[in-house]
Amino acid sequence: MSEPDLPLPFVSVLMPVRNEAAFIARSLGAMLAQDYPHDRYEILVLDGMSDDATRARVEQMARTTNLPVRLLDNPARTVPPALNLGIREARGDIILRMDGHTEAAPDYVHRCVSALLNTGADNVGGAVDYVGEDPFSCAAGMVSQSKFGCGGAPARSSREGSVDTVSFGCWRREAFSRFGLFDEYFVRTQDSEFNYRTRLLGGRVWMNPCIRTRYFNRSSPRRLARQYFQYGFWKTRLMYKLGGHLQWRHLVPPAFVAGCGLSVVALIWQLLAGPSRLGWAVVFATPVAYALASLFASLCLAARNRAWSMLPLFMLILAILHTAWGTGFIVGLLRRPPRTCYAPLPPATPPATQPDSAESATRAKDVSDI
């Protein structure tokens, strides 16, 4: 006699938000429209004390759905405390994070659950499509998905397999007992910190490009520069807490910024001490090399996307991303924080039994059949 079908795991979706009135209808609406059975998941919207219409719109949407949607206050306002609050309040066997500025595909929950059960990984995530609603943010989305723009980060990858980090995430509840909660010091890059910590303690992070989301880019140069400065700055905090975890793509922007700084020093020396061929070579080496590389990358982007009118925007955005990220990294490197600001690492524990039992196999089959 065959084994009876087991119910699908119950999923708790955590959505930390603050002042997302312009996007919450799309981000929350996408989670309400998932093809995962509606009696098998809940949504916890963790609001960082929004002072716009975010809360009212969440409450209105909650009244028009049969899905359990809970709106919880996050007095700390930042993302990591919101996630920790959600983990403690969640009823699900599986915890899934979604962003208030992101729109998930209709099969997002079911693909995350299926990947988690089938791979035995401790965290799974997918590819992010960076999009926009005006010329600047659309161009920023194209640049963000290029190798020259962001160095082939995992969220832009089309390869399935183990990676260093993924955006957002999907975990079994017991993962937080083994690896700890989110470190509330990390205002930015909290996903990366948790994923690197997971790997440091023997866990596995899995990327499946069939899991899709759309992230809406910043629509102004100032906001984009501020965002990437913070990314670079908080990358050094991750390095100081957990050690290395740097790849070549992380070092190229700060090397470019340092090269530009050297060019400025060389120019001042030329003006004060008298010109020389070597001095002028140092002055122009980094800017000219970068300009040529940026022009080539922008031409490739324009040709690939048939967006020749955006060529100047591509070059501008590349300069913003690399300068802001590199400057943030250098500033963070020079301002080493005390170790007492980090949450302590939990002790290493043996990995949990991988889902190779008949029960897990049945659940994986059930999920894939949705």
Side-chain angles (χ1 to χ4, degrees):
M1 188 169 67
S2 62
E3 294 280 342
D5 286 348
L6 295 171
L8 295 173
F10 193 85
V11 179
S12 293
V13 178
L14 311 184
M15 292 188 66
V17 300
R18 186 170 188 273
N19 292 341
E20 289 289 1
F23 288 93
I24 194 66
R26 273 177 287 189
S27 56
L28 179 55
M31 299 315 297
L32 293 173
Q34 292 293 300
D35 62 10
Y36 201 75
H38 282 201
D39 62 342
R40 299 305 298 162
Y41 75 103
E42 65 174 352
I43 300 173
L44 280 66
V45 180
L46 308 148
D47 181 63
M49 315 313 291
S50 296
D51 53 20
D52 63 1
T54 299
R55 297 176 66 89
R57 292 182 183 178
V58 170
E59 291 168 346
Q60 180 184 17
M61 295 176 74
R63 288 193 295 267
T64 60
T65 179
N66 60 353
L67 265 165
V69 178
R70 287 191 278 164
L71 178 63
L72 303 177
D73 288 342
N74 169 31
R77 301 191 177 192
T78 58
V79 171
L83 293 173
N84 291 341
L85 170 65
I87 292 164
R88 296 185 185 103
E89 293 285 336
R91 298 187 293 119
D93 307 309
I94 290 177
I95 309 294
L96 186 151
R97 181 205 165 163
M98 182 43 56
D99 189 78
H101 215 70
T102 302
E103 186 176 8
D107 58 357
Y108 186 82
V109 173
H110 117 244
R111 285 192 180 276
C112 282
V113 173
S114 181
L116 194 68
L117 296 179
N118 286 323
T119 64
D122 297 284
N123 182 18
V124 301
V128 181
D129 298 318
Y130 291 79
V131 298
E133 298 181 304
D134 57 76
F136 183 85
S137 57
C138 286
M142 297 177 197
V143 170
S144 297
Q145 296 181 100
S146 68
K147 285 190 175 181
F148 189 77
C150 288
R156 287 85 168 172
S157 175
S158 60
R159 181 185 66 85
E160 182 175 7
S162 294
V163 292
D164 53 0
T165 188
V166 290
S167 297
F168 316 124
C170 179
W171 308 265
R172 296 175 186 81
R173 174 180 284 280
E174 55 265 28
F176 300 103
S177 298
R178 181 180 172 200
F179 306 117
L181 296 175
F182 285 87
D183 188 336
E184 297 188 3
Y185 173 73
F186 282 82
V187 176
R188 290 281 191 180
T189 67
Q190 62 278 156
D191 289 332
S192 294
E193 190 279 330
F194 190 90
N195 287 320
Y196 282 117
R197 189 190 339 145
T198 296
R199 295 173 64 240
L200 188 67
L201 296 174
R204 190 157 56 110
V205 180
W206 191 265
M207 160 72 174
N208 184 335
C210 294
I211 300 170
R212 311 294 300 191
T213 55
R214 296 199 309 159
Y215 176 82
F216 291 85
N217 283 288
R218 300 297 191 268
S219 58
S220 74
R222 183 182 62 83
R223 294 178 65 195
L224 187 68
R226 182 173 181 269
Q227 179 186 21
Y228 274 80
F229 177 91
Q230 292 177 345
Y231 286 162
F233 181 88
W234 286 97
K235 177 62 72 174
T236 65
R237 270 53 195 149
L238 176 61
M239 180 186 69
Y240 280 135
K241 178 181 179 180
L242 299 178
H245 302 298
L246 291 178
Q247 299 184 12
W248 69 266
R249 70 174 187 267
H250 301 136
L251 300 176
V252 172
F256 161 64
V257 172
C260 289
L262 181 61
S263 295
V264 172
V265 171
L267 177 60
I268 295 173
W269 180 262
Q270 287 284 92
L271 297 176
L272 294 178
S276 68
R277 290 184 179 179
L278 178 59
W280 286 119
V282 174
V283 169
F284 290 109
T286 298
V288 170
Y290 181 81
L292 292 174
S294 176
L295 177 60
F296 177 77
S298 298
L299 287 169
C300 292
L301 268 174
R304 186 183 312 130
N305 295 283
R306 297 183 179 180
W308 295 103
S309 62
M310 289 187 173
L311 183 62
L313 274 179
F314 291 152
M315 297 189 69
L316 170 64
I317 291 167
L318 283 169
I320 291 172
L321 297 191
H322 295 153
T323 303
W325 203 100
T327 303
F329 186 92
I330 291 172
V331 171
L333 202 63
L334 297 175
R335 293 171 55 188
R336 182 167 188 160
R339 291 203 62 82
T340 53
C341 67
Y342 303 127
L345 290 176
T349 57
T353 303
Q354 298 298 338
D356 54 1
S357 65
E359 175 180 340
S360 297
T362 302
R363 286 192 176 184
K365 179 179 184 299
D366 286 345
V367 171
S368 64
D369 287 344
I370 294 176

